[in-house]
């Protein structure tokens, strides 16, 4: 099970779910306290801004980020949940949860997965750059991109409500 939340809900979500792994996607300078129940080797902290096109002074999500994310996901034994978070729990984290679910269930239909994501999180607005990179790396031939475009932008919110995504 993948649990998605915002930075402010990390400790609560990890505790409530009994998660054994944590994926943090945050801009440089944004601090995250790794919960004591998560070992250092079970925490991946990727530094990037929530942007889809290059902007001066910001770190755009890149192929290296997605490769590291996929490697981390593939090492997950799934005996305990994985918590994925970004600052708001709306864009980088929802894109990453979608990417992980697609990678770990390669026969799962991209559109069905995107529609499930939308049903679980009305605010989800997956980062299109992360999705496009993953689509290429997973050889999905544009289907991930099209599926995420089809669900459109999520409802405006300062912070997403935590949710869980089954693989």
């Amino acid at each position: 099970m993948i649990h998605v939340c915002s930075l402010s809900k990390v400790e609560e979500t990890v505790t409530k779910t009994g998660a054994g792994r944590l994926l943090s996607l945050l801009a440089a300078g944004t601090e995250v306290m790794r919960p004591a129940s998560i070992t250092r080797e079970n925490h991946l902290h990727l530094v990037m801004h929530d942007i889809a096109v290059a902007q001066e002074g910001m770190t755009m999500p890149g192929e290296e980020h997605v490769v590291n994310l996929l490697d981390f996901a593939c090492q997950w034994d799934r005996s305990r949940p994985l918590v994925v978070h970004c600052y708001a729990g709306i864009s980088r984290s929802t894109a990453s949860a979608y990417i992980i679910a697609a990678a770990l269930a390669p026969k799962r239909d991209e559109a069905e997965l995107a529609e499930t994501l939308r049903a679980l999180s009305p605010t989800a607005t997956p980062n299109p750059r992360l999705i496009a990179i993953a689509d290429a790396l997973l050889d999905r031939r544009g289907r991930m991109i099209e599926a995420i475009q089809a669900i459109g932008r999520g409802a405006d919110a300062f912070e997403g409500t935590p949710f869980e995504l089954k693989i």
Side-chain angles (χ1 to χ4, degrees):
M1 187 73 65
I2 301 169
H3 292 267
V4 179
C5 67
S6 63
L7 175 60
S8 71
K9 304 280 192 220
V10 169
E11 185 78 41
E12 174 186 332
T13 303
V14 167
T15 299
K16 185 191 297 184
T17 64
R21 290 176 77 77
L22 177 65
L23 172 60
S24 303
L25 303 112
L26 299 165
T30 305
E31 300 232 4
V32 61
M33 293 292 291
R34 179 175 42 83
S37 62
I38 303 287
T39 61
R40 180 167 286 131
E41 60 271 7
N42 285 329
H43 181 208
L44 177 63
H45 183 182
L46 297 175
V47 177
M48 68 183 81
H49 287 88
D50 184 22
I51 57 175
V53 294
Q55 294 181 36
E56 183 74 31
M58 297 186 132
T59 304
M60 189 162 72
E63 186 173 319
E64 183 177 341
H65 293 115
V66 179
V67 167
N68 288 335
L69 180 156
L70 288 169
D71 287 346
F72 185 71
C74 289
Q75 294 169 17
W76 175 34
D77 68 9
R78 298 192 234 175
S79 63
R80 293 172 58 200
L82 164 67
V83 171
V84 178
H85 81 93
C86 59
Y87 187 79
I90 292 174
S91 184
R92 290 166 287 186
S93 58
T94 60
S96 297
Y98 178 83
I99 290 164
I100 292 167
L104 296 180
K107 295 189 188 301
R108 190 167 181 185
D109 180 75
E110 296 86 357
E112 178 274 324
L113 180 56
E115 289 164 10
T116 298
L117 181 68
R118 169 58 67 235
L120 294 170
S121 177
T123 60
T125 305
N127 180 287
R129 173 91 174 144
L130 287 169
I131 298 297
I133 294 167
D135 185 276
L137 290 172
L138 297 173
D139 194 30
R140 295 297 181 103
R141 300 186 176 136
R143 294 187 306 270
M144 289 174 71
I145 297 166
E146 291 170 10
I148 293 300
Q149 287 173 342
I151 65 168
R153 180 177 172 78
D156 287 339
F158 174 74
E159 183 177 83
T161 301
F163 67 93
E164 60 185 54
L165 178 63
K166 293 180 182 173
I167 296 179

